[in-house]
Amino acid sequence: MRMYDLPDARGHFGPYGGTFVAETLVHALEELRAAYLEARADAAFQAEFRDELAHYVGRPTPIYHCRRWSAQLGGAQIYLKREDLNHTGAHKINNTVGQALLARRMGKRRVIAETGAGMHGVATATVAARYGMTCVVYMGAEDVERQSANVYRMKLLGAEVVPVESGSRTLKDALNEAMRDWVTNVDDTFYILGTVAGPHPYPMMVRDFQSVIGEECKPQMRELAGRQPDAVIACVGGGSNAMGIFYPYIAEEGVRLIGVEAAGEGLATGRHAATLCAGRPGVLHGNRTYLLQDANGQILATHSISAGLDYPGVGPEHAWLKDSGRAEYVAVTDEEALAAFMALCRIEGIIPALESAHALAYAAKLAPTLARDRILLVNLSGRGDKDMQTVARRAGIAL
Amino acid sequence: MSRIAARFAELARGGRKALVAYLTAGDPAPALTVPLLGALAEAGADVLELGVPFSDPMADGPVIQRATQRALAHGVGLAQVLDMARAFRAADARTPLVLMSYANPIEAMGAERFVREAAAAGADGVIVVDCPPEECAEFAAQARAHGLDTIFLLAPTSTEARIRAVAQAASGYVYYVSLKGITGAEHLDVADVAAHLPRVRAATPLPICVGFGIRDAAAARRVAELADGVVIGSRIVQEIEAAGPYEAAARVKAFLAPVRRALDERPRQGAA
């Protein structure tokens, strides 16, 4: 593969990405891009970022070999990158630490964020407390009702949580509302976007902050298995944990990159969130990418058992990796994800996030088709404590 | 000369300012859009902006968001909006009509097909809210090849370099966004507009219309002193919302006519 150096200077990954925003935000994004490029090249900034990741977040996270589960599946060996062991319980904090340090460097004292399940909101509220910033989190009113524990966590951390009543009252509407806040308060506010979507430079910047995941994997796999995996598997909603683990492996031609989307109740039912598997290109939230949309270009409501995958768009770099053939994208249903969730609980003693359970479910399908000396590296992007209500309700149990 | 250029030339000759009026297509019902456009023109609007409903109107405040929801509930998409434009043009050959959309409905139809059909329907210009010139060089060229003016937004945050770049790509008029915020915001600062407009004026010979946050005749008149025209959107949509389907046309006329009078009463300073 030729050298991979995307995005270009204006944030394009082939035909995807870019800066599709109202004029008022163009200058703010140019400022952000300039500040980020300067910080990226600044050894002191990078050193502080690494230091925070080590002492505040708890990195490096380990890689764990699922010997029992692999043996039961009877094929390839499954290894987990344990992002669930990060402070706040998911990979999201890698990015919020990076962006909060950048906000501080730019002199912005107020941060805002969108959140779906609440994990990015919690990670943002956490760093806002850590760095002494004012924090407002936009969350779809429907998600506020579904995720009351995370709402309370954010409030404990000092954030204001604003329920968003517009549109479908979910993540995409929270993102719209965060953009509206930013356009109104652009002088003193830094928007900490939670995934590899949005206008340039967000897809690049969030990927860079998250790529610590994949960078750690390379020496860890060498040490643990004596070689790199045959495939790297990660769930994809917006796609930040997947970009974080894929990015350092893009140039490693022998490594398959597999993104797992949420097939919800099944692709044929229309009740899913499998943007790359079932969508087509369009423009939303500042970038060109694959979208779930109707014939008129209206964005469709999505469904997944995991709120974190419940998004009708996807990061533009994934769109490019799909079209270029470098990565493969598949989808697993709610049921399949739940089965993998249960398997990991019972066989390995790890409660995964329902998002991550999608990646596990695909690994469980793929492993038996491969020889026992093959290696699958799955990004276990978060822990499942937040999903107790959902899983229990599904089993008819009231907590 | 395009209908938009002709209208601004005519206004300049009379020493008058342009009144640009916006409504969301399909709100409160698809059958009412063409009559409402007619009512706006009758009440003295010089240019009509017809909003294409989009599920995720990131740059719009609650008023236009609700109008969008009402229109989407009627299933109004870009194809229906083009039908409305065609019907309006059949009834009114003179008043310039601008289609205002987010990028995705146009992408979904296909840019080439959109500009061809919009021009054939009798539209005169297009504003794509979330598509700055950097992202739409090809689209802008296609639009102009079909005789559609490409109207771009400038904002208080636009730098000198951006003002020049946007002025290069623009035709018809330049839409100056009066404030940092979304449509229907309530923090219009006329002094701030006055401070920014000379930079825009220096960069383009095109007429400059100012919009966002203009809520009444008095504000319209003060802003018009500084610019070539004013854009009123959310306030009109609010009238439509409050009136309901039967009274909407009468209500928008009753709202807009005094604005027109206020703009025309200003002391004549002669055409530039």
Side-chain angles (χ1 to χ4, degrees), chain A residues 10 12 18-24 26-27 166-167 172 176 180 183-184 186-187 282-283 288 293 296-299, chain B residues 53-58 60 65 69 72 104-105 107-108 129-130 132 134-135 153-155 157-159 162 180-181:
Chain A
R10 295 223 320 273
H12 294 115
T19 311
F20 291 86
V21 294
E23 174 65 23
T24 311
V26 174
H27 178 61
S166 59
K172 79 178 177 66
N176 291 334
R180 292 181 188 120
V183 88
T184 306
V186 61
D187 293 328
V283 173
R288 182 179 282 118
Q293 54 180 320
N296 283 327
Q298 310 299 351
I299 306 307
Chain B
F54 178 50
S55 53
D56 294 79
M58 240 167 49
D60 286 301
Q65 288 175 40
Q69 290 295 327
L72 290 174
N104 203 51
E107 292 246 337
V129 183
D130 55 349
E134 291 86 340
E135 296 290 356
L153 307 182
L154 279 170
T157 52
S158 302
T159 58
R162 283 204 58 74
K180 294 170 193 157

Side-chain angles (χ1 to χ4, degrees), chain A residues 226-249:
Chain A
R227 66 180 185 92
Q228 298 306 321
D230 296 288
V232 175
I233 303 175
C235 65
V236 177
S240 69
N241 90 81
M243 267 329 300
I245 197 166
F246 285 179
Y247 185 58
Y249 281 106

Side-chain angles (χ1 to χ4, degrees), chain A residues 292-358:
Chain A
L292 292 172
Q293 54 180 320
D294 70 12
N296 283 327
Q298 310 299 351
I299 306 307
L300 294 172
T302 52
H303 165 80
S304 167
I305 191 171
S306 68
L309 302 183
D310 210 347
Y311 179 64
V314 64
E317 192 161 12
H318 285 295
W320 171 246
L321 290 174
K322 172 187 162 79
D323 282 13
S324 68
R326 178 62 190 92
E328 311 153 50
Y329 294 89
V330 297
V332 308
T333 63
D334 290 348
E335 289 298 333
E336 291 168 320
L338 265 173
F341 175 96
M342 294 300 180
L344 207 69
C345 288
R346 296 296 179 86
I347 301 165
E348 298 289 353
I350 297 172
I351 302 178
L354 284 172
E355 290 77 8
S356 322
H358 286 71

